[in-house]
């Protein structure tokens, strides 16, 4: 099987896709390109050159927020000089298609995107793009509950919006749909003083489009604790980042379901495309529906648990990272025979 050098820009948004390739039988080496590389092209060249020369990969697979971190052209030049096949995963599509996805995509041998609707857009630039949706990592599995996370409802997510807030509306520009989801899915439960706890970054910051009352905030969780939150809450809440794609679903939805949680999320076309309402999960289109769903399922334990089990099985059968890696490898096999 393939040897893959995986280059991850801004490791704080690390996706764990390498686990899918490992499960698929590949040999994977990670190179994290973070803040220490800012304004240090010499350090980038030394680290990347060393990894390429020592590991001798069949191809390089890269993704992440490279802007403000590294010169993407210099990065790709190092790979191109060695004649190594380069794959770019545009994980930030569609939000940052022109800003962060297209520049490396135009110089890559192959591109994957979680947004199928953008494949024709890439083709306009002569870019060969294929679908690679988000998925659930092998670390997100059903675990025993922990007392400190026992709540009726829980949300694990970051409160993005500071960087691109419209001064007039106080709403996020790049994350407009996500902010709408907060107001639709989380705020009505908080306003009703329900037993809901939120973990993640920036929820109590005053410059956000929504500022969570401190009584509902749990802080920032270590990654390994997230499955325990999903095991302990009766309902795992979700918000979606993209509302214009049939194939984009937040990783948190896959992870919550993969951990065996009953999941209520903001409606999106992607969620409807991959899952069935009332069978695998529930989605809400309004604050009023969120309250109705929460009250109903908190009063119906057996139905809630049956739906949670269906959702877990659906993810285990179709939406784990190994499924995504196998699809990617099937495409790469057309370009790099083994």
């Amino acid at each position: 099987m393939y040897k893959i050098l995986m280059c991850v820009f801004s490791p704080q948004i690390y996706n764990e896709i390498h686990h899918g390739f490992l499960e698929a039988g590949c040999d994977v080496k990670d190179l994290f390109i973070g803040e220490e590389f800012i304004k240090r092209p010499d350090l980038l060249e030394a680290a990347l050159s060393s990894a390429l020369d020592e590991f001798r990969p069949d191809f390089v697979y890269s993704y992440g927020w490279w802007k403000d971190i590294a010169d993407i052209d210099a990065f790709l030049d190092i790979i191109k000089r060695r004649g190594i096949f380069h794959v770019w995963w545009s994980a930030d599509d569609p939000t940052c298609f022109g800003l962060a996805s297209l520049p490396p995509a135009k110089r890559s041998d192959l591109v994957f995107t979680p947004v199928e609707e953008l494949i024709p857009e890439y083709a306009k630039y002569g870019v060969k793009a294929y679908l690679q949706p988000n998925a659930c990592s092998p670390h997100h599995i059903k675990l025993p509950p922990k007392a400190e996370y026992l709540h009726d409802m829980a949300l694990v997510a970051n409160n993005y919006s500071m960087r691109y807030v419209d001064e007039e509306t106080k709403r996020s520009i790049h994350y407009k749909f996500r902010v709408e989801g907060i107001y639709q899915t989380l705020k009505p439960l908080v306003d009703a003083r329900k037993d809901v706890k939120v973990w993640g970054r920036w929820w109590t910051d005053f410059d956000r489009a929504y500022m969570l009352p401190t009584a509902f905030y749990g802080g920032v969780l270590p990654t390994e604790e997230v499955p325990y939150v999903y095991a302990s809450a009766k309902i795992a809440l979700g918000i979606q980042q993209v509302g214009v794609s049939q194939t984009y679903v937040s990783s948190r939805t896959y992870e919550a379901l993969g951990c065996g949680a009953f999941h209520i999320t903001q409606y999106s076309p992607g969620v409807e495309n991959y899952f069935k309402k009332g069978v695998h999960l529930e989605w809400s289109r309004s604050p009023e529906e969120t309250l109705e769903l929460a009250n109903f399922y908190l009063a119906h334990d057996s139905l809630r648990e049956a739906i949670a089990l269906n959702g877990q099985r659906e993810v285990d059968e179709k939406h784990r990272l190994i499924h995504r890696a196998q699809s990617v490898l099937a495409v790469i096999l057309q370009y790099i025979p083994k």
Side-chain angles (χ1 to χ4, degrees):
M1 192 46 80
Y2 295 105
K3 294 178 68 176
I4 307 170
L5 176 63
M6 186 156 296
C7 296
V8 185
F9 294 92
S10 297
Q12 63 267 29
I13 55 104
Y14 184 41
N15 182 272
E16 297 193 303
I17 180 61
H18 76 284
H19 287 298
F21 289 112
L22 287 171
E23 287 188 281
C26 295
D27 186 4
V28 182
K29 178 181 176 64
D30 292 326
L31 175 61
F32 298 110
I33 305 172
E35 293 179 354
E36 68 274 18
F37 288 87
I38 296 176
K39 296 181 180 179
R40 289 294 307 275
D42 57 325
L43 187 61
L44 175 63
E45 178 152 12
L48 180 56
S49 297
S50 176
L52 292 171
D53 293 340
E54 293 176 12
F55 187 60
R56 300 177 66 82
D58 293 304
F59 64 90
V60 176
Y61 178 106
S62 308
Y63 70 94
W65 185 258
W66 54 269
K67 295 187 75 66
D68 309 320
I69 296 291
D71 182 336
I72 196 66
D73 285 315
F75 168 81
L76 292 168
D77 284 343
I78 297 168
I79 297 171
K80 294 295 183 181
R81 284 199 300 266
R82 286 167 169 76
I84 298 174
F85 197 89
H86 182 256
V87 178
W88 176 258
W89 181 34
S90 295
D92 291 309
D93 280 346
T95 306
C96 300
F97 171 72
L99 183 66
S101 296
L102 200 55
K106 288 162 69 174
R107 296 197 59 202
S108 297
D109 298 293
L110 203 56
V111 171
F112 289 89
T113 174
V115 180
E116 191 170 47
E117 293 84 353
L118 282 178
I119 291 176
E121 293 301 311
Y122 280 110
K124 293 177 182 177
Y125 295 91
V127 175
K128 299 172 184 175
Y130 296 84
L131 179 65
Q132 182 193 333
N134 292 320
C136 184
S137 84
H139 292 141
H140 288 87
I141 57 175
K142 189 172 181 61
L143 295 175
K146 283 189 174 183
E148 59 265 42
Y149 303 133
L150 291 174
H151 294 280
D152 283 347
M153 289 167 282
L155 172 66
V156 181
N158 293 325
N159 190 12
Y160 297 117
S161 69
M162 180 184 72
R163 201 173 184 184
Y164 306 106
V165 170
D166 181 276
E167 287 301 316
E168 182 177 343
T169 64
K170 301 302 180 185
R171 291 293 186 91
S172 165
I173 297 172
H174 275 62
Y175 300 106
K176 182 177 184 295
F177 188 73
R178 186 184 180 97
V179 173
E180 289 173 354
I182 293 172
Y183 277 82
Q184 179 179 297
T185 307
L186 175 63
K187 187 177 184 294
L189 301 171
V190 171
D191 290 349
R193 310 302 293 180
K194 296 292 187 180
D195 176 22
V196 56
K197 188 67 75 171
V198 179
W199 286 270
R201 293 181 175 87
W202 309 306
W203 284 102
T204 57
D205 290 11
F206 71 91
D207 55 3
R208 299 291 151 160
Y210 174 73
M211 187 170 70
L212 181 74
T214 55
F216 296 89
Y217 185 49
V220 179
L221 276 177
T223 303
E224 61 270 17
E225 289 297 296
V226 173
Y228 291 106
V229 171
Y230 291 143
S232 306
K234 294 178 182 177
I235 297 174
L237 301 171
I239 50 179
Q240 300 296 321
Q241 187 132 314
V242 176
V244 294
S245 173
Q246 292 284 333
T247 61
Y248 192 102
V249 175
S250 167
S251 295
R252 295 295 193 193
T253 287
Y254 294 118
E255 292 165 359
L257 295 175
C259 290
F262 173 77
H263 190 48
I264 297 178
T265 187
Q266 168 191 14
Y267 171 81
S268 77
V271 173
E272 184 177 19
N273 183 39
Y274 286 128
F275 301 104
K276 294 181 180 179
K277 181 177 174 64
V279 177
H280 304 121
L281 45 62
E282 280 287 358
W283 61 67
S284 170
R285 296 176 184 264
S286 70
E288 295 76 19
E289 186 178 9
T290 297
L291 278 170
E292 290 174 6
L293 289 169
N295 289 332
F296 176 80
Y297 282 105
L298 286 173
H300 293 82
D301 293 349
S302 59
L303 178 58
R304 187 181 70 240
E305 292 164 3
I307 292 173
L309 181 59
N310 289 338
Q312 182 184 6
R313 287 172 174 166
E314 187 73 4
V315 166
D316 288 345
E317 292 173 5
K318 300 178 182 178
H319 302 294
R320 289 279 176 184
L321 285 178
I322 186 172
H323 301 125
R324 305 300 188 245
Q326 288 170 338
S327 296
V328 169
L329 291 170
V331 174
I332 289 175
L333 187 62
Q334 302 172 35
Y335 296 87
I336 311 175
K338 289 293 286 185

